[in-house]
Amino acid sequence: MDRPRIVVTGIGIISPLGHTAEESWASLLAGRSGIGPITQIDSCMLPIHFAGEIRDFDPGDYMSFKEARRMSRASQLAVAALAMALQDAGLNVPVADAERLGTVIGTGAGGLEVADRELLKLRERGFKAVSPFALTGFLPNMPSYHVSLVTGAHGPINTVVAACASGALAIADGADWIRHGRADVVIAGGTEGLIHDTSLAAFARMNALSLRNNDPATACRPFDLMRDGTVISEGAGIVVLESLAHAHARNAPILGEIMGSASAADAFHVAAPDPEAAGAARAMRWALADARVLPESIDYINAHGTATPANDVQETTAIKKVFGERAYEIPVSSSKAVLGHAMGGTGAIEAIFCLQAMRDGIIPPTWNYTTPDPECDLEYVPNAPRPARLRTVMSNSFAMGGHNTSLVLGDAELETRGSW
């Protein structure tokens, strides 16, 4: 039975690499790192003093001062990326049929900084010092709420909280809503504003972060033998999803296709990836099956590629399990070398990078790759973009708690791909 094809008609990114999707993409291709000294907090009590911050972000460019002061950083970034995605899609809001517009946004921690700030007020100054907007500031579902409010969306709404896989899984869920007839258009993506001493301390205590304080720009080294951890960053990626028929009916631009997706659990360890990579491999296999494409159809893999010692080996293992000998022929790269790890925002940002890679016919490289690791022996596209004809690509997001998600995306030339 045929099912609706799901297309992307608008994209928006705000990240350490740039204030727009195109700025972020250009920085990724040029190797302009978004990682630098921390300015948002005092990091003197921490062993790391750098992160991927969005410099010169002014929420007032996207919302009123009154609105912004009641929102978490994650919500502010989501609304900023939303504005760009709506403009890109040529989608005027409120839409004519608001009940057919859905909202699903992913985040790993929501407004952690708001919760911490208000808890400190309570302990130091007492009950009356706590803001009446404390709860609605830190709840993880608030980015979804704010996106629905801006768009006037009355359709289905959800929040995905799946750590590093949140943004990718939100896109997958949004596509499924349209396929099952619950919405015609879905605003989907992920956001995170996690440059905070509590989160940085927690990740550092897990030995998950790079400690290269003397060289932040090259600290994140995915798949490199000398990698010593990831780099926390922030950011948001938002996409406008529509059925192909709905997009055609309003003459919307078509930027690419969400062909399929899948998630699979490790059920192994609260933080460490399964060394057998069984869950990650299942997610990739099932995503291919959902997209109805063969493994040999994948032209490029945007890896989760965190630059932690265990993750990069696990992901390499998973790719080999799924693609066999062809794994050595598929270009694989990680955007996190210069983007950092924006947690709940990362999967959505990287999915957009995949769409831009197909559009421009160029594979973004894995920057900071200098020393091959015998356990990571695939083609990681080191240190320079590579021209390539890309029709079908995969984007991986593997999270703590064994949340594995893979997306399969296709280019905008739908008519040459045929119909399901």
Side-chain angles (χ1 to χ4, degrees):
M1 181 177 178
D2 287 347
R3 62 180 184 176
R5 301 179 77 162
I6 312 305
V7 295
V8 180
T9 58
I11 57 174
I13 291 177
I14 185 162
S15 80
L17 296 177
H19 283 209
T20 68
E22 295 310 320
E23 286 179 9
S24 297
W25 175 239
S27 293
L28 175 60
L29 294 182
R32 290 191 292 269
S33 178
I35 298 166
I38 294 173
T39 63
Q40 293 182 31
I41 60 168
D42 183 355
S43 63
C44 66
M45 295 179 64
L46 302 174
I48 52 101
H49 309 294
F50 59 94
E53 294 184 336
I54 299 172
R55 309 289 180 178
D56 304 318
F57 171 61
D58 183 359
D61 292 339
Y62 308 96
M63 66 205 79
S64 72
F65 172 77
K66 184 177 179 180
E67 291 171 321
R69 69 190 296 267
R70 295 175 177 177
M71 296 163 63
S72 68
R73 178 98 165 169
S75 288
Q76 293 173 355
L77 296 176
V79 169
L82 168 68
M84 298 177 234
L86 292 175
Q87 182 178 20
D88 196 44
L91 189 65
N92 297 318
V93 295
V95 297
D97 190 354
E99 292 185 359
R100 300 296 297 170
L101 176 61
T103 308
V104 54
I105 306 298
T107 184
L112 174 65
E113 83 283 5
V114 177
D116 185 74
R117 180 188 69 215
E118 298 302 324
L119 182 59
L120 188 63
K121 286 183 186 178
L122 176 65
R123 290 176 173 170
E124 292 186 347
R125 295 159 50 195
F127 167 73
K128 290 187 178 296
V130 176
S131 169
F133 299 100
L135 189 64
T136 55
F138 72 72
L139 287 174
N141 68 311
M142 286 300 115
S144 290
Y145 158 72
H146 287 292
V147 167
S148 72
L149 181 67
V150 170
T151 58
H154 291 169
I157 184 170
N158 200 5
T159 296
V160 177
V161 182
C164 323
S166 302
L169 194 51
I171 292 174
D173 286 355
D176 281 344
W177 286 355
I178 299 173
R179 286 197 183 102
H180 290 288
R182 297 180 185 134
D184 296 321
V185 182
V186 174
I187 308 299
T191 186
E192 207 76 80
L194 206 54
I195 310 300
H196 188 270
D197 48 6
T198 301
S199 58
L200 290 167
F203 279 109
R205 286 289 291 153
M206 292 173 61
N207 296 318
L209 301 183
S210 173
L211 298 177
R212 289 188 172 91
N213 288 300
N214 61 337
D215 191 10
T218 66
C220 192
R221 304 182 182 189
F223 303 107
D224 189 274
L225 180 65
M226 306 308 292
R227 66 190 182 278
D228 69 331
T230 197
V231 176
I232 297 300
S233 68
E234 59 181 352
I238 300 290
V239 297
V240 178
L241 303 177
E242 304 184 46
S243 67
L244 180 60
H246 189 277
H248 279 330
R250 68 179 193 88
N251 294 316
I254 294 174
L255 311 179
E257 182 177 8
I258 308 298
M259 298 180 66
S261 64
S263 65
D266 280 351
F268 172 74
H269 188 274
V270 68
D274 175 6
E276 299 300 318
R282 279 194 299 273
M284 286 191 280
R285 281 200 306 269
W286 292 348
L288 290 169
D290 187 52
R292 304 177 185 180
V293 300
L294 297 173
E296 51 264 35
S297 298
I298 297 299
D299 299 315
Y300 162 63
I301 298 173
N302 186 284
H304 187 54
T306 60
T308 56
N311 172 86
D312 291 4
V313 174
Q314 177 248 19
E315 186 165 12
T316 298
T317 299
I319 292 170
K320 292 180 191 177
K321 283 189 171 185
V322 173
F323 293 95
E325 285 302 311
R326 188 169 178 269
Y328 295 96
E329 303 171 7
I330 303 173
V332 178
S333 69
S334 171
S335 310
K336 293 181 178 69
V338 290
L339 172 67
H341 194 346
M343 301 303 292
T346 295
I349 292 171
E350 292 174 346
I352 294 171
F353 286 159
C354 287
L355 295 170
Q356 292 170 310
M358 289 185 287
R359 179 197 66 191
D360 294 347
I362 194 162
I363 299 170
T366 302
W367 296 101
N368 307 330
Y369 184 92
T370 58
T371 309
D373 180 350
E375 292 188 277
C376 297
D377 56 351
L378 301 180
E379 176 47 64
Y380 300 114
V381 195
N383 303 313
R386 180 180 301 172
R389 180 71 171 99
L390 304 176
R391 298 297 313 277
T392 311
V393 305
M394 176 176 282
S395 185
N396 288 335
S397 297
F398 304 144
M400 281 187 294
H403 286 65
N404 303 292
T405 299
S406 293
L407 300 173
V408 176
L409 305 99
D411 69 5
E413 297 183 18
L414 306 184
E415 68 279 0
T416 63
R417 200 196 314 283
S419 64
W420 287 321

